[in-house]
Amino acid sequence: MACLDEFRRFGLTTPATTNKHINALRGCLKECWKMDLIDTKDYHKAIDLKRVRATTLPKGRALAHEGITALLVVCDGDEPFQVRDSALLALLYGCGLRRAEVVAIQVEHYSPVTLTLSSPRR
């Protein structure tokens, strides 16, 4: 469908967004038909667009204990990126922090005296 290719070209790739734009196009075509800008035959041909049906993955999901363990095994090592990734996983999983909270953490938030980490409020 050429129309769907145009939507993809503009970055409108989710099924819900694509269907909204198809419905808007149908509405515009209906108004053109009402104003006698297009005839009935062309109108019906133009609005004969199928809905885009697709399944999408949920935005987030909880990982099982085995999944966390597998991630930590991959991060096990002395390389700087492995230490960094292990620390990120520990903050995300162990402290229950959200992604935005983890990236907002600064060195000043850590207290080596009390071994505590203060994070910005949710």
Side-chain angles (χ1 to χ4, degrees):
M1 164 189 316
C3 180
L4 184 58
D5 292 336
E6 285 298 307
F7 287 144
R8 285 190 180 124
R9 189 171 71 110
F10 289 108
L12 307 172
T13 55
T14 64
T17 304
T18 302
N19 286 327
K20 283 181 188 177
H21 284 80
I22 288 173
N23 288 334
L25 179 61
R26 283 187 185 125
C28 290
L29 289 168
K30 185 173 185 176
E31 292 303 314
C32 290
W33 173 69
K34 285 181 181 179
M35 296 170 39
D36 289 327
L37 297 174
I38 57 175
D39 63 14
T40 303
K41 180 181 169 186
D42 291 334
Y43 167 69
H44 285 289
K45 279 184 178 180
I47 65 164
D48 188 26
L49 299 171
K50 304 288 186 238
R51 284 179 40 93
V52 176
R53 298 196 185 274
T55 57
T56 57
L57 294 174
K59 288 191 176 194
R61 63 183 172 94
L63 288 177
H65 181 72
E66 295 80 20
I68 298 295
T69 303
L71 287 171
L72 288 171
V73 166
V74 170
C75 297
D76 190 27
D78 293 328
E79 294 293 325
F81 70 92
Q82 292 171 317
V83 174
R84 177 204 61 205
D85 292 350
S86 293
L88 285 172
L89 286 172
L91 289 170
L92 288 165
Y93 185 69
C95 298
L97 296 180
R98 296 179 176 130
R99 291 176 300 182
E101 293 169 326
V102 170
V103 297
I105 292 174
Q106 302 294 319
V107 174
E108 299 83 37
H109 294 129
Y110 175 68
S111 170
V113 175
T114 60
L115 299 176
T116 57
L117 179 70
S118 61
S119 73
R121 294 192 163 256
R122 289 184 182 194

